[in-house]
Amino acid sequence: MDTGHGMELINFIDITPTIAILLILVGFIGGMVSGFIGSGGAFVLTPAMMALGAPGIVAVASNICHKFPKALVGAVKRNKYGQVDVKLGLVLGLFAEAGVLFGKHVMTHIKHSFGAVGTDLYVSGVFVLTLAIVGGFVFKDYRKLKALDDAGQGEETTPITRVARWVQSVKIPGTMIYSRGAQAEISVLFLIPIGFATGFLASAIAVGGFIGVPAMIYFLGLPAIMATATELVIAFVMGLGGTLFYGLEGAVDIRLAVLILLGSLFGVQLGAIGTTYVKDSQVKFTMAVIMLTVLFSRFFYIPGYLGHLGMIEPLSASTTRILKWVGDGVLALALIVGAYTVLSALFKGMKAHKEKLAVLTRGEAAD
Amino acid sequence: MAVNQNTWVRTLGWGVVTTGLYVFLFLYSEVFERLAHTTLDTCLVHNDSDPAYHHKTTPEQCAAEKGLFIEGTWWYVFAPIAVAFALSYTHGIFTGLFWDVVGLKARK
């Protein structure tokens, strides 16, 4: 909010015991979803922090801050399994840093011109648009995988796309680097827009992986497992930079970040354990459902912001309150659905696995 | 599956360290909040005893609002980064051990 004499007030929320418990719970579910779908579950955290009253810029900044050390731990772990293309991750991370810096300028420009509510509107708008697009693609992917599953060819790996083959065939002298993940040489010129866009998105909604991961798979030809692992390197590099840039703007609320982290670290490991018991198509389905639901939580807030900024006729207090209530209800629903899907997959899977093991053991004993 | 004593001790040990870090952060949460707001020039105004930090300020503007002008110290930005790193590290080890103790494991 702009105050007298052009000064800006960016408030951190009061952390009451209820808010703290909600943050931990939301972090837990966000982490679980993150671990389950491989990366990017933090997308539920930005709207949740905003629903609890944090301005858009603080929610994004604190979300980025809670993510980067976790990304480092994840990257180191998955590097041990040989899933990380470190060089590609660092190069993309470097260009992502430029994207984050540019995006942060956009955000602070909006903050200076329209105050904290301006950043609320900006974050919400980008959020709704991104999740609608990505959620739609994920749903399409799910249907394809499901069809393969039904035809009994579920575990088949998909061949690299035609675009990726073309990208790998373009040789521009002096710009080529070898990507271990793609097992081919790729021109840095292709990496600039991918990295930049990833960083820009991260600066706006705290999740850049929505661009980074599919781009590495479809445009560069990395296998999905290496793309999500390499994304962790990018997330670390741009998360560290993003925390610095936003921290210098006084927008990183470490209390928010660590409470989310507290729940998320428990959740992420549970989610990761869960994936080992389910089919790929189930993971995609969960991801699509959560994305397409959660976007509406922000959608219902937008009219209120527009009214507040005078861009539309201001809504009555009761209408704004009802819309906020609906938005929060949708968010709660998305979180409950997410938690239920992951936990039920985990427990059902574990039970089935135990029964299978018991049958095998009995079989061996009979031999 | 029985969990050996060593795992229990390690889980408890990392749990205590992690809890200690959280307690430290929340005991000094006002200090951390102040550090976060004062990476840039800030005007601290007390409204009904609640501190409010205003950014994009000058000493003159701040004086007009009867606030306390605080000159920004950019390297305070490392405070949240250090806390985030330390907590992820200790808490990450603790949660890994925790799920082992509880008995939830990935399918082999």
Side-chain angles (χ1 to χ4, degrees):
Chain A
M1 188 193 309
D2 256 13
T3 55
H5 306 279
M7 295 198 300
E8 278 171 11
L9 176 62
I10 290 287
N11 263 337
F12 288 176
I13 57 174
D14 271 340
I15 306 230
T16 60
T18 318
I19 299 256
I21 290 168
L22 281 174
L23 282 168
I24 294 170
L25 201 65
V26 162
F28 178 68
I29 298 174
M32 213 155 61
V33 173
S34 233
F36 196 68
I37 65 182
S39 71
F43 69 88
V44 300
L45 303 179
T46 307
M49 285 192 251
M50 289 173 75
L52 294 174
I57 185 171
V58 175
V60 170
S62 310
N63 196 353
I64 290 181
C65 173
H66 112 274
K67 259 177 63 174
F68 79 86
K70 227 171 58 179
L72 178 67
V73 175
V76 170
K77 205 180 265 174
R78 291 184 66 177
N79 192 36
K80 282 190 196 140
Y81 303 125
Q83 295 169 351
V84 180
D85 185 339
V86 179
K87 189 164 66 178
L88 182 70
L90 289 176
V91 174
L92 280 171
L94 192 72
F95 296 127
E97 206 70 83
V100 173
L101 191 58
F102 174 74
K104 189 224 68 167
H105 276 295
V106 173
M107 180 86 89
T108 43
H109 182 75
I110 290 170
K111 189 182 75 167
H112 292 331
S113 311
F114 302 100
V117 181
T119 69
D120 291 343
L121 178 63
Y122 170 64
V123 173
S124 303
V126 177
F127 189 84
V128 169
L129 201 68
T130 309
L131 286 203
I133 296 170
V134 180
F137 274 113
V138 175
F139 192 71
K140 225 174 96 187
D141 245 21
Y142 153 72
R143 302 220 351 212
K144 214 158 72 186
L145 275 175
K146 182 84 180 15
L148 281 176
D149 271 352
D150 293 345
Q153 313 166 313
E155 301 302 318
E156 212 171 77
T157 48
T158 32
I160 75 166
T161 60
R162 215 183 305 165
V163 185
R165 220 170 296 142
W166 176 76
V167 167
Q168 292 180 5
S169 74
V170 176
K171 307 278 178 221
I172 304 168
T175 68
M176 305 304 290
I177 61 162
Y178 181 75
S179 158
R180 200 171 68 80
Q183 294 190 324
E185 285 204 317
I186 294 170
S187 169
V188 171
L189 298 181
F190 288 112
L191 304 183
I192 295 174
I194 294 176
F196 189 86
T198 303
F200 180 79
L201 190 67
S203 76
I205 60 170
V207 185
F210 285 153
I211 291 182
V213 174
M216 279 189 272
I217 299 172
Y218 298 113
F219 294 151
L220 304 181
L222 265 76
I225 192 154
M226 287 198 82
T228 53
T230 305
E231 163 63 22
L232 291 170
V233 177
I234 308 175
F236 167 66
V237 176
M238 66 184 181
L240 185 58
T243 307
L244 268 172
F245 300 148
Y246 276 125
L248 290 172
E249 297 291 333
V252 174
D253 187 347
I254 186 70
R255 304 162 313 152
L256 278 185
V258 298
L259 287 172
I260 290 274
L261 186 71
L262 171 62
S264 149
L265 282 171
F266 279 105
V268 84
Q269 295 180 4
L270 202 59
I273 297 172
T275 40
T276 62
Y277 292 98
V278 293
K279 282 186 185 154
D280 250 14
S281 64
Q282 268 172 287
V283 174
K284 292 271 180 200
F285 181 69
T286 310
M287 198 170 162
V289 169
I290 301 175
M291 281 179 176
L292 295 174
T293 321
V294 96
L295 76 90
F296 284 100
S297 72
R298 277 293 103 203
F299 179 80
F300 287 112
Y301 271 82
I302 290 177
Y305 297 145
L306 287 172
H308 187 101
L309 293 169
M311 291 171 173
I312 57 169
E313 197 70 18
L315 305 175
S316 70
S318 61
T319 315
T320 312
R321 210 172 37 238
I322 292 170
L323 283 175
K324 182 178 157 15
W325 189 80
V326 174
D328 292 350
V330 170
L331 179 65
L333 184 77
L335 291 174
I336 291 169
V337 168
Y340 173 77
T341 319
V342 178
L343 288 177
S344 70
L346 176 64
F347 289 121
K348 261 189 230 156
M350 278 179 77
K351 201 171 152 222
H353 185 61
K354 250 185 209 154
E355 279 163 8
K356 205 163 129 194
L357 279 183
V359 171
L360 279 178
T361 325
R362 272 203 300 275
E364 273 167 18
D367 285 345
Chain B
M1 190 172 38
V3 179
N4 67 33
Q5 203 185 354
N6 188 20
T7 311
W8 271 106
V9 172
R10 281 175 56 216
T11 311
L12 274 177
W14 284 110
V16 169
V17 173
T18 308
T19 314
L21 276 172
Y22 276 106
V23 170
F24 171 75
L25 177 72
F26 279 91
L27 276 180
Y28 293 95
S29 72
E30 271 175 30
V31 177
F32 278 100
E33 200 174 338
R34 188 187 170 104
L35 289 177
H37 279 295
T38 50
T39 53
L40 67 173
D41 289 353
T42 304
C43 179
L44 173 61
V45 182
H46 282 277
N47 302 326
D48 310 326
S49 83
D50 271 345
Y53 294 90
H54 298 262
H55 300 158
K56 214 178 138 200
T57 182
T58 62
E60 296 74 32
Q61 284 175 340
C62 189
E65 294 284 319
K66 297 194 178 64
L68 171 69
F69 181 80
I70 304 166
E71 207 175 317
T73 310
W74 71 271
W75 53 264
Y76 285 170
V77 75
F78 293 112
I81 292 177
V83 172
F85 261 122
L87 261 177
S88 297
Y89 184 75
T90 64
H91 198 291
I93 297 177
F94 169 68
T95 39
L97 289 163
F98 175 82
W99 289 127
D100 267 1
V101 169
V102 172
L104 284 175
K105 272 188 190 302
R107 190 164 80 172
K108 294 271 166 20

